């Protein structure tokens, strides 16, 4: 019997488009086995954070410590964290049949290039680069952030043979050009979008605090907009949609915009892994109601290139919505 949900993302075969995003949901072999059993099409392992290792090292260092001691502690922590991560990859691959995607969260140029090869040797099916960086200095060059993305990606591609996926930020003035440049550099897929750490302010303690961890339904708007635009303008790019995807309707919308897969996280935390089966049932009923027998039957049907009026994707003003409201 044909699998109506099968899809390909970044060169990987997925039995269905539901990918569990990098998070605490995927940080143990046992959890990953349960997610596969629940129906996930692929998993992205909990990210190894460059910043986290640096912070741990800083907590162990004291003022006046010799530079040699600093280097020893940092290297020890990095080696230990890396070995633990490689073990997670190996054991998850042994336990699961679905694609296992490793994830590295990096924020400095050239970070983790050597580690990428170790990830490949450990058996990961692909590597997701979650590049976190912000331009905050007056001296930053106009394209410095974009150049950082491309440099890191090219060096990782040169180091490994498995597919390389870039999890993108939406905060670029020329997002389409950057994705095109990344595609030219050899990436196998992109994820739209990563979700940055959210800040808030405690007005009573007068200090910075963390904001909301989970996404909301309304966060999907930018995901749909840019999935539709990039799918229409750069049809060769393999796209996984992410952020604001909480139910089967959201996944249908993303595929209509041109996504080959989606990453979910918040909805699994809130509703449990059982939500995966509920999503599949909803998708199947909708597809049957419209006589669709595969995702390819409707993928990209509403992207930028397919709309009679593609300017609908470019409209950013509220004027039309509020013009008839008191």
């Amino acid at each position: 019997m044909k699998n109506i949900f099968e899809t390909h993302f970044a060169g990987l075969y997925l039995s269905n488009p539901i990918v569990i995003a990098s998070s605490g949901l995927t940080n143990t072999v046992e959890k990953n086995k349960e997610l596969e059993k629940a129906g996930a099409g692929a998993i992205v392992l909990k990210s190894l954070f460059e910043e986290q290792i640096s912070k741990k090292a800083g907590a162990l260092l004291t003022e006046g410590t010799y530079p040699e001691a600093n280097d020893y502690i940092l290297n020890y922590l990095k080696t230990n964290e890396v070995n633990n991560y490689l073990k997670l990859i190996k054991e998850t691959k042994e336990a699961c049949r679905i694609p296992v995607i490793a994830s590295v969260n990096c924020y400095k140029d050239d970070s983790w290039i050597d580690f990428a090869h170790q990830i490949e040797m450990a058996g990961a099916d692909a590597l997701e680069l979650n590049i976190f960086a912000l331009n905050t200095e007056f001296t930053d060059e106009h394209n410095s952030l974009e150049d950082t993305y491309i440099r890191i990606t090219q060096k990782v591609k040169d180091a490994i043979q498995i597919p390389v996926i870039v999890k993108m930020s939406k905060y670029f003035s020329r997002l389409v050009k950057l994705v095109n440049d990344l595609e030219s550099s050899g990436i196998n897929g992109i994820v739209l979008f990563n979700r940055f750490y959210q800040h808030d302010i405690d007005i009573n303690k007068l200090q910075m605090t963390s904001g909301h961890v989970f996404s909301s339904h309304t966060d999907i708007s930018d995901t749909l907009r840019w999935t539709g635009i990039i799918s229409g303008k750069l049809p060769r790019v393999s796209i996984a949609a992410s952020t604001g995807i909480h139910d089967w309707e959201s996944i249908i919308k993303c595929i209509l915009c041109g996504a080959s897969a989606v990453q979910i996280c918040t909805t699994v935390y809130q509703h449990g892994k059982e939500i995966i089966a509920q999503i599949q049932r909803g998708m199947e009923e909708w597809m049957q109601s419209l006589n669709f027998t595969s995702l390819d039957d409707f993928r990209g049907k509403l992207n930028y290139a397919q709309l009679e009026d593609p300017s609908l994707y470019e409209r950013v003003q509220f004027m039309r919505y509020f013009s008839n409201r008191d």
Side-chain angles (χ1 to χ4, degrees):
M1 182 176 178
K2 180 181 177 181
N3 175 11
I4 64 173
F5 294 137
E6 66 182 14
T7 187
H8 289 84
F9 168 64
L12 302 174
Y13 170 81
L14 278 62
S15 61
N16 70 74
I18 303 170
V19 179
I20 309 301
S22 173
S23 62
L25 295 168
T26 60
N27 64 358
T28 70
V29 178
E30 291 72 24
K31 291 179 183 178
N32 296 331
K33 287 170 62 177
E34 289 299 314
L35 288 167
E36 178 183 43
K37 185 178 179 180
I43 54 174
V44 184
L45 297 178
K46 178 75 167 65
S47 291
L48 186 61
F49 282 78
E50 173 194 0
E51 187 178 20
Q52 179 180 348
I53 293 175
S54 297
K55 186 175 181 180
K56 284 184 178 181
L60 293 176
L61 300 176
T62 58
E63 187 175 352
T65 304
Y66 291 108
E68 293 83 357
N70 292 354
D71 291 341
Y72 174 82
I73 292 173
L74 181 58
N75 289 332
Y76 172 81
L77 284 173
K78 185 171 182 178
T79 299
N80 188 59
E81 293 287 337
V82 165
N83 287 339
N84 288 339
Y85 197 71
L86 296 175
K87 181 181 178 183
L88 176 63
I89 295 171
K90 291 176 181 177
E91 293 183 353
T92 299
K93 278 297 298 177
E94 291 172 357
C96 299
R97 295 183 178 181
I98 59 176
V100 175
I101 303 170
S103 175
V104 173
N105 190 300
C106 49
Y107 70 107
K108 290 181 181 177
D109 194 13
D110 298 337
S111 299
W112 306 107
I113 304 301
D114 294 336
F115 179 45
H117 181 66
Q118 294 176 276
I119 283 178
E120 182 177 35
M121 293 298 99
D125 293 296
L127 172 59
E128 179 182 277
L129 298 176
N130 194 338
I131 304 171
F132 174 81
L134 294 175
N135 282 339
T136 59
E137 302 296 333
F138 292 112
T139 55
D140 286 339
E141 296 293 332
H142 175 63
N143 293 326
S144 62
L145 186 52
E146 289 88 343
D147 290 343
T148 296
Y149 268 69
I150 294 169
R151 278 198 302 271
I152 292 176
T153 301
Q154 287 178 331
K155 290 182 178 180
V156 171
K157 281 295 296 182
D158 289 341
I160 60 177
Q161 299 298 314
I162 59 175
V164 174
I165 301 160
V166 178
K167 196 163 191 178
M168 305 287 299
S169 163
K170 63 183 176 182
Y171 300 112
F172 288 99
S173 60
R174 298 188 296 170
L175 184 59
V176 175
K177 181 182 185 305
L178 176 57
V179 173
N180 184 60
D181 291 343
L182 288 169
E183 196 271 337
S184 297
S185 74
I187 65 164
N188 302 92
I190 62 170
V191 181
L192 303 175
F193 294 102
N194 57 15
R195 179 172 166 79
F196 286 165
Y197 172 81
Q198 303 296 305
H199 294 89
D200 202 350
I201 293 178
D202 187 322
I203 61 174
N204 295 311
K205 296 182 179 179
L206 301 181
Q207 64 185 28
M208 297 294 297
T209 63
S210 61
H212 294 292
V213 175
F214 295 138
S215 68
S216 69
H217 282 277
T218 58
D219 291 329
I220 198 175
S221 179
D222 283 332
T223 301
L224 296 177
R225 181 196 300 273
W226 287 107
T227 298
I229 291 174
I230 292 174
S231 169
K233 288 184 171 289
L234 302 171
R236 295 178 302 176
V237 176
S238 187
I239 302 172
S242 179
T243 300
I245 301 168
H246 289 238
D247 47 37
W248 68 265
E249 292 98 330
S250 301
I251 294 180
I252 295 294
K253 291 175 184 179
C254 291
I255 296 173
L256 283 167
C257 287
S260 294
V262 300
Q263 289 191 3
I264 62 173
C265 178
T266 291
T267 192
V268 181
Y269 272 113
Q270 293 176 334
H271 303 292
K273 59 184 181 294
E274 294 76 19
I275 191 66
I276 299 172
Q278 295 175 30
I279 287 173
Q280 290 179 342
R281 285 195 296 271
M283 290 178 63
E284 182 175 11
E285 291 173 3
W286 178 85
M287 290 174 66
Q288 289 176 345
S289 72
L290 295 178
N291 296 318
F292 291 135
T293 60
S294 72
L295 301 188
D296 287 334
D297 288 346
F298 63 96
R299 180 183 289 110
K301 199 173 184 66
L302 296 180
N303 74 11
Y304 187 91
Q306 298 300 320
L307 290 187
E308 184 175 340
D309 180 13
S311 68
L312 291 170
Y313 273 112
E314 300 172 359
R315 191 164 292 148
V316 294
Q317 302 298 335
F318 282 103
M319 185 180 299
R320 188 172 186 177
Y321 177 77
F322 284 115
S323 61
N324 296 319
R325 296 178 70 90
D326 296 329

